[in-house]
Amino acid sequence: DEQELNKANIKMALNGAEIVEILLGRDDILVILQNKDTVINLQPNFSRIAAILNTKYRGLSVSAASNDDSYDFYSRSFFPTLGVNEDPVCGSAHCLISVYWSNIKNKSTLKARQASLRGGNVYIKLNEDKSRVSLSGYCAMYMKGTIWI
């Protein structure tokens, strides 16, 4: 619903955070915020995010450039309509976020920090035409199983 997907509604869902830009991916919404501290300290309203996502989008991610040499950008990802208010470290969201920052920073290799409570580093490499994104980093085992085909 276009009414839900406007800057004022997204700003309310992000409890008044200053929005620099809103981009729409195939499955997700990417919101660029003013700075990394805004990303880190953000207190999102998950009910409002869910209303914005409705059934058209899977999730909403926020991101901002880093102001130090440790990382190229910071991010957080929210998927309340999927039962995950905040994904601790979201690989699929970084496929969208990394293409944005690769274009802004004119780099094909990036280092990101997902600033969730658990948090994590994501190391990113994009191919020449940015049609493939490779992600690496340390992960936490959350499930182990066997699949029979």
Side-chain angles (χ1 to χ4, degrees):
D1 181 47
E2 284 301 314
Q3 184 68 20
E4 290 294 329
L5 192 59
N6 68 49
K7 192 171 184 175
N9 283 343
I10 292 174
K11 185 173 181 171
M12 283 193 308
L14 300 178
N15 280 320
E18 286 302 318
I19 295 171
V20 174
E21 191 171 4
I22 300 170
L23 300 112
L24 304 178
R26 182 179 57 204
D27 301 314
D28 298 331
I29 300 167
L30 173 58
V31 180
I32 305 301
L33 300 178
Q34 278 190 318
N35 57 57
K36 75 172 190 176
D37 293 328
T38 304
V39 172
I40 292 167
N41 298 314
L42 185 68
Q43 298 294 317
N45 181 316
F46 298 116
S47 300
R48 287 187 186 269
I49 291 174
I52 290 165
L53 296 175
N54 202 346
T55 57
K56 185 168 180 173
Y57 297 98
R58 190 180 60 133
L60 183 145
S61 294
V62 297
S63 187
S66 175
N67 57 357
D68 58 51
D69 291 336
S70 300
Y71 304 99
D72 291 295
F73 63 90
Y74 284 73
S75 64
R76 290 174 65 191
S77 298
F78 312 109
F79 300 88
T81 57
L82 300 179
V84 180
N85 281 342
E86 182 167 5
D87 191 326
V89 184
C90 186
S92 63
H94 276 86
C95 291
L96 173 63
I97 300 167
S98 62
V99 173
Y100 174 84
W101 287 113
S102 174
N103 289 332
I104 294 296
K105 294 185 171 276
N106 198 29
K107 295 169 70 173
S108 61
T109 302
L110 300 160
K111 183 177 179 185
R113 177 71 187 170
Q114 181 128 0
S116 65
L117 184 60
R118 188 185 90 199
N121 297 335
V122 182
Y123 304 92
I124 303 154
K125 174 82 173 128
L126 291 91
N127 71 349
E128 193 172 315
D129 69 355
K130 299 178 185 170
S131 64
R132 294 268 184 229
V133 178
S134 298
L135 306 174
S136 62
Y138 297 99
C139 63
M141 175 87 71
Y142 70 94
M143 183 185 303
K144 188 175 181 179
T146 304
I147 298 173
W148 289 276
I149 298 178

